[in-house]
Amino acid sequence: MAWKLDLRKLKTCCSNTLSSLSCCDLCGANVSNSVLLGYSLPQALLCQYCINDLPYFNQSIIAGNLLNWPAIHRALPHIHFDQLFALSPYIYPFNKWLGQMKYLGRFELAKLFSTLLCAQWQAMAMSKVIAPIDLVLSVPLHVKKWQIRGYNQAHLIAKSFARQLSLPYDANVVERVKNNDSQMGKTGNQRRKNLADAFSLQKKLASHIKHVVIIDDVVTTGTTASEISKLLKQAGVETVTLVTVCLTLPNVKKSGVVVA
Ligand SMILES: [Zn+2]
């Protein structure tokens, strides 16, 4: 009959339309493709206007290392990593996205974060000589936590970051051997005690590995990455760079200005 729908045609039509149309996650504008420094953003999650309007730290002022900012350096005492690279303070929209990835399973955001990190990293690398990266790691979850949650968001971001920059990534170098209490609400000293002996190296590192990048989604006191850095340095690594989507220091404001 004439009015009968051809389901196959309808399906094809719908999927073609859906794949060519996408809405910006922030402003709802239609986007087909967004590009950032040559990186195509996944599923065109953001329009070009919103990409340019994201609240990044001003990497040129700090030469790509937030530890060059005295207020941040003071807020992160006793750390064993040498450089800290973060996209943004823990503010909108990154705080919303990180929550959606962690609690609502929006895994496509891992690709968005890694693409933004790669683009910012490349922009910084173009203006500064940085030691070649020999290995990318992520902050591991204890196996029990991984089983309950089903994924490790730092691992998802790190894997994608390494793939886009053609760097070696190994998820099995560091293991979390202690299933600690949550770090939330603890002071830096309490966090260090809580994390003592929480990690172990599962492999002997090759002698050429001198610069390691550790990826995490959010850094608060830096204690977790610092404990891993300590182990890496004991194993012969010379430089550890911590790369994170957000930094949550209380005195870091949206403008990227740090209030001491
Ligand atoms: Zn937009």
Side-chain angles (χ1 to χ4, degrees), residues 51-108:
I51 290 172
N52 297 336
D53 206 36
L54 289 172
Y56 295 124
F57 280 116
N58 189 336
Q59 303 292 345
S60 60
I61 292 178
I62 48 174
N65 181 5
L66 281 159
L67 299 180
N68 287 335
W69 208 298
I72 292 184
H73 206 185
R74 275 200 302 275
L76 297 172
H78 318 297
I79 48 166
H80 294 274
F81 49 87
D82 308 280
Q83 302 182 93
L84 172 61
F85 184 86
L87 272 185
S88 160
Y90 188 70
I91 54 172
Y92 182 86
F94 289 99
N95 54 358
K96 180 189 91 161
W97 284 332
L98 284 166
Q100 289 178 337
M101 184 177 167
K102 196 165 176 180
Y103 301 111
L104 301 177
R106 282 196 69 192
F107 301 125
E108 77 274 22

Side-chain angles (χ1 to χ4, degrees), residues 63-65 83 85 118 120-134 161 165 167 211 213 239 241 243:
N65 181 5
Q83 302 182 93
F85 184 86
C118 286
Q120 289 285 306
W121 179 271
Q122 290 288 63
M124 185 265 295
M126 275 189 265
S127 61
K128 186 187 167 208
V129 179
I130 45 172
I133 299 167
D134 302 309
F161 176 87
L165 292 180
L167 295 169
H211 182 197
V213 162
T239 309
T241 301
V243 171

Side-chain angles (χ1 to χ4, degrees), residues 64-68 72-73 75-86 139 192 195 211-216 218-233 237-244 246-247 249:
N65 181 5
L66 281 159
L67 299 180
N68 287 335
I72 292 184
H73 206 185
L76 297 172
H78 318 297
I79 48 166
H80 294 274
F81 49 87
D82 308 280
Q83 302 182 93
L84 172 61
F85 184 86
V139 171
R192 275 189 294 281
L195 282 177
H211 182 197
V212 173
V213 162
I214 303 174
I215 306 250
D216 207 353
V218 183
V219 167
T220 306
T221 62
T223 317
T224 308
S226 183
E227 289 297 313
I228 298 171
S229 306
K230 198 162 74 180
L231 284 178
L232 293 170
K233 297 254 172 110
V237 171
E238 287 170 1
T239 309
V240 178
T241 301
L242 174 58
V243 171
T244 179
C246 284
L247 183 68
L249 296 177

Side-chain angles (χ1 to χ4, degrees), residues 85-254:
F85 184 86
L87 272 185
S88 160
Y90 188 70
I91 54 172
Y92 182 86
F94 289 99
N95 54 358
K96 180 189 91 161
W97 284 332
L98 284 166
Q100 289 178 337
M101 184 177 167
K102 196 165 176 180
Y103 301 111
L104 301 177
R106 282 196 69 192
F107 301 125
E108 77 274 22
L109 291 171
K111 182 84 189 295
L112 173 70
F113 294 143
S114 63
T115 307
L116 296 175
L117 281 169
C118 286
Q120 289 285 306
W121 179 271
Q122 290 288 63
M124 185 265 295
M126 275 189 265
S127 61
K128 186 187 167 208
V129 179
I130 45 172
I133 299 167
D134 302 309
L135 182 64
V136 177
L137 306 176
S138 55
V139 171
L141 283 179
H142 188 269
V143 67
K144 279 192 181 155
K145 227 170 234 169
W146 194 320
Q147 281 167 345
I148 292 167
R149 195 179 291 165
Y151 57 90
N152 172 5
Q153 61 276 12
H155 163 71
L156 297 176
I157 299 167
K159 199 168 68 168
S160 175
F161 176 87
R163 191 170 48 225
Q164 289 185 79
L165 292 180
S166 304
L167 295 169
Y169 171 63
D170 194 332
N172 301 311
V173 171
V174 184
E175 190 188 345
R176 195 164 193 145
V177 286
K178 249 168 77 178
N179 194 11
N180 317 80
D181 304 337
S182 164
Q183 295 281 76
M184 275 194 12
K186 289 188 167 61
T187 63
N189 204 21
Q190 288 167 333
R191 282 175 183 236
R192 275 189 294 281
K193 277 188 187 155
N194 191 35
L195 282 177
D197 305 320
F199 300 97
S200 77
L201 286 191
Q202 297 300 299
K203 291 179 179 178
K204 195 172 176 329
L205 292 176
S207 57
H208 75 276
I209 296 177
K210 296 297 174 200
H211 182 197
V212 173
V213 162
I214 303 174
I215 306 250
D216 207 353
D217 55 347
V218 183
V219 167
T220 306
T221 62
T223 317
T224 308
S226 183
E227 289 297 313
I228 298 171
S229 306
K230 198 162 74 180
L231 284 178
L232 293 170
K233 297 254 172 110
Q234 285 163 359
V237 171
E238 287 170 1
T239 309
V240 178
T241 301
L242 174 58
V243 171
T244 179
V245 178
C246 284
L247 183 68
T248 64
L249 296 177
N251 55 359
V252 179
K253 295 204 167 165
K254 180 183 176 178

